[in-house]
Amino acid sequence: MRIVLFEPEIPPNTGNIARLCAATKTPLHLIEPLGFKTDDKHLKRAGLDYWEHVKLTIHPSFEHFVRTVEPYRLVMASTKASVAHQNFQFQPIDTIVMGPETRGLPQEIMALSPHAVRIPIWGEVRSLNLSTATGILLYEAMRQTDLLPD
């Protein structure tokens, strides 16, 4: 299992996701351009002292990520996806791709995979916070694939 943040914009979200990745031993890949510097104090504070436990790779482009990592299956997260995350069959070597906070994944990235999921929400909210959504998807994927520790 891997997490990819495509052009993340908000340092605390990325820091929280890094902490999530440290807690689950999930590699984290960031796709540039980033909306912050990697030495940002808010990024470091949100990740607390867990950064040394994160397997972090920063890629200059999504093409570079795909070429160098060769992900098994890309699972795109989008509010526009037709399949709810709980109805999707995750696999242990999936790569969950999250888009930027203010605009989501662009169509050209979404088009790279037939696999896309959404998190059902009610009410007037358009989407969930990026770190919250990442946690929901990762833990559901780990639950389905028996990757959660006891």
Side-chain angles (χ1 to χ4, degrees):
M1 201 75 58
R2 292 183 190 98
I3 296 294
V4 173
L5 301 183
F6 179 80
E7 300 181 2
E9 301 166 326
I10 301 173
N13 284 339
T14 300
N16 287 335
I17 293 166
R19 187 173 178 179
L20 170 72
C21 288
T24 58
K25 298 185 180 200
T26 303
L28 175 61
H29 296 264
L30 304 181
I31 309 299
E32 294 179 320
L34 308 179
F36 49 84
K37 295 184 185 305
T38 55
D39 63 352
D40 184 281
K41 68 179 181 178
H42 300 291
L43 176 74
K44 290 184 184 244
R45 191 168 96 208
L48 295 174
D49 55 349
Y50 301 112
W51 281 102
E52 66 186 70
H53 304 291
V54 179
K55 184 176 180 189
L56 174 66
T57 308
I58 300 174
H59 301 273
S61 67
F62 198 80
E63 294 76 23
H64 180 271
F65 164 74
V66 171
R67 191 174 57 252
T68 58
V69 175
E70 299 181 26
Y72 172 70
R73 186 171 77 156
L74 298 171
V75 179
M76 307 301 189
S78 173
T79 59
K80 297 174 181 85
S82 60
V83 178
H85 76 288
Q86 73 272 17
N87 297 327
F88 183 79
Q89 291 298 121
F90 285 97
Q91 297 178 11
I93 51 178
D94 279 344
T95 298
I96 300 170
V97 183
M98 307 298 290
E101 290 91 341
T102 60
R103 60 190 190 280
L105 288 170
Q107 189 54 43
E108 63 269 15
I109 298 298
M110 290 289 297
L112 296 174
S113 176
H115 308 289
V117 297
R118 66 178 165 76
I119 300 169
I121 53 177
W122 298 266
E124 301 301 318
V125 176
R126 287 186 310 275
S127 63
L128 297 175
N129 174 276
L130 182 65
S131 60
T132 300
T134 303
I136 290 169
L137 294 178
L138 180 59
Y139 269 85
E140 175 62 14
M142 294 180 85
R143 184 194 67 78
Q144 284 186 21
T145 58
D146 293 324
L147 293 175
L148 289 174
D150 290 333

